[in-house]
Amino acid sequence: DTGVSQNPRHKITKRGQNVTFRCDPISEHNRLYWYRQTLGQGPEFLTYFQNEAQLEKSRLLSDRFSAERPKGSFSTLEIQRTEQGDSAMYLCASSLGLKSEQYFGPGTRLTVT
Amino acid sequence: GIQVEQSPPDLILQEGANSTLRCNFSDSVNNLQWFHQNPWGQLINLFYIPSGTKQNGRLSATTVATERYSLLYISSSQTTDSGVYFCAVELGGATNKLIFGTGTLLAVQP
């Protein structure tokens, strides 16, 4: 499988709980992105890694959100003390270098009850 | 910030019909991608087209960067073409994050 993979595909959690999502990019891609998509909207940029370095974070990424990419391979996105407004599809994408096409994973759909 | 608007917002077609989707952006961009989002939420890459015209089967795309728009043509539409079509622009700088448009919801009826 050479595509971007994400786990889990669906997550239902109660408000206040912590959740963690995983993204495995295409193996040779050094750039990794997280986006969030709410119902009826296009995806919005959250954060970006080049190798293991997190180089940009959107204002959408509150202090309850943290992302890591240890060793420049897979990445995790953690949301602490989830709120109902966090309910969304969380999408991961990867690309090879600057000015190259981004490829998206299937997403993790989070529902906070 | 940059505005990326798509038209029409919704489109209903009979199978076999042709259509043109438009993407307008308010500032200069480095690159532009077109995606098809299927009913399960997967974004499928259609075109990576900073300028010029590309064709892939029944689909083709044209970007006129100097006039800040891109067009996606779908010919002989099929029910499997249904879904949401997004354009996304890549701004300058080191990140190359994508800014997505408002989307066009396409329904192809048999």
Side-chain angles (χ1 to χ4, degrees), chain A residues 44-55:
Chain A
E44 294 177 289
F45 170 79
L46 291 179
T47 191
Y48 151 70
F49 290 85
Q50 182 171 334
N51 299 313
E52 67 276 9
Q54 187 175 18
L55 297 184

Side-chain angles (χ1 to χ4, degrees), chain B residues 66-86:
Chain B
T66 53
E67 297 187 19
R68 301 179 184 171
Y69 74 89
S70 184
L71 302 174
L72 178 69
Y73 305 94
I74 304 174
S75 64
S76 304
S77 57
Q78 301 175 357
T79 56
T80 52
D81 294 332
S82 297
V84 183
Y85 289 80
F86 287 105

